Amino acid sequence: MTTVAHSRRRYGGTARAPHQRHDKRYTNPALKVAVCGTAHVAVDWGLGGFRLAQFFSLLPLGTQLDGVILDGNDDPIAAFVVELVGRGGIDEPARFRFQSLPDETFDVLQAMILSAR
């Protein structure tokens, strides 16, 4: 599996805003992912990462987690590695940015964006 750091070039950031989003956020089509063994529908997502409601973690910020994109039948269709950049809370979705985004996964996300147009 070839991995390209597509998301890294989108997060130059600064010391004051290291996780500044550079990609457009999408809510449609819905992105369903499994992270930490639990399926979630993203609040919004982009080619740089996604946010999940009802996800709270005490893991340290910067922790890298494996995940998969799920199809309508909850079958995995593409893998990724994300970095936890916001733990989430009652009124705040947890924030994740892609760290390792294989070409196949990038293609799936890009196809989802194009299908929404």
Side-chain angles (χ1 to χ4, degrees):
M1 173 180 349
T2 303
T3 300
V4 177
H6 292 285
S7 61
R8 289 188 193 276
R9 67 175 177 251
R10 291 178 170 76
Y11 284 93
T14 65
R16 297 182 71 189
H19 306 300
Q20 184 178 1
R21 183 181 294 260
H22 295 278
D23 295 304
K24 182 177 177 181
R25 294 180 181 188
Y26 300 92
T27 56
N28 185 26
L31 176 67
K32 191 168 189 180
V33 297
V35 178
C36 296
T38 305
H40 300 273
V41 176
V43 172
D44 58 26
W45 61 277
L47 293 175
F50 53 86
R51 298 187 311 153
L52 300 178
Q54 300 179 353
F55 183 100
F56 178 75
S57 175
L58 294 175
L59 293 169
L61 295 179
T63 299
Q64 293 190 3
L65 304 166
D66 293 327
V68 293
I69 296 175
L70 302 171
D71 67 10
N73 297 320
D74 288 346
D75 294 323
I77 56 174
F80 57 80
V81 176
V82 288
E83 176 184 355
L84 180 66
V85 295
R87 290 189 185 104
I90 294 172
D91 295 327
E92 182 180 340
R95 295 177 296 138
F96 300 86
R97 76 171 168 191
F98 292 117
Q99 285 298 301
S100 176
L101 196 58
D103 287 340
E104 297 83 10
T105 307
F106 183 85
D107 292 344
V108 167
L109 293 172
Q110 194 170 38
M112 290 174 66
I113 291 168
L114 294 175
S115 73
R117 291 183 179 180

